[in-house]
Amino acid sequence: MTQPLVSIIIPTYNRAATIGKAIDSALHQTYKNFEIIVVDDGSKDDTSDVLKNTIRSPVSISKTEGRPVPGMPV
């Protein structure tokens, strides 16, 4: 019996100093049938560079531009 696929979603914004550690933590879990999806919400720091150097299967990146959430103060 195969294990179900688990999606690990890591949202980030300006977290160049910590995103690599978060991805490494997910990669070292004992459950092995997973994918990691990093959602970068328009970081202005070096997060994109860190992600480019970290990307390997099963990690994928989704880049969005920061947009305010309706009803939330900006």
Side-chain angles (χ1 to χ4, degrees):
M1 173 184 240
T2 61
Q3 297 177 316
L5 178 66
V6 172
S7 297
I8 302 168
I9 302 171
I10 304 174
T12 188
Y13 178 74
N14 290 342
R15 295 289 180 240
T18 58
I19 192 64
K21 186 175 179 179
I23 293 170
D24 283 342
S25 176
L27 289 170
H28 288 95
Q29 298 302 307
T30 56
Y31 191 89
K32 295 301 179 189
N33 192 22
F34 63 88
E35 63 180 349
I36 301 171
I37 302 166
V38 179
V39 180
D40 180 5
D41 193 15
S43 293
K44 306 288 186 231
D45 65 354
D46 294 331
T47 299
S48 292
D49 294 332
V50 172
L51 291 172
K52 287 177 191 171
N53 293 325
T54 305
I55 296 174
R56 60 187 181 271
S57 184
V59 181
S60 64
I61 308 300
S62 174
K63 184 136 176 98
T64 63
E65 288 301 319
R67 291 185 222 63
V69 175
M72 296 295 292
V74 286

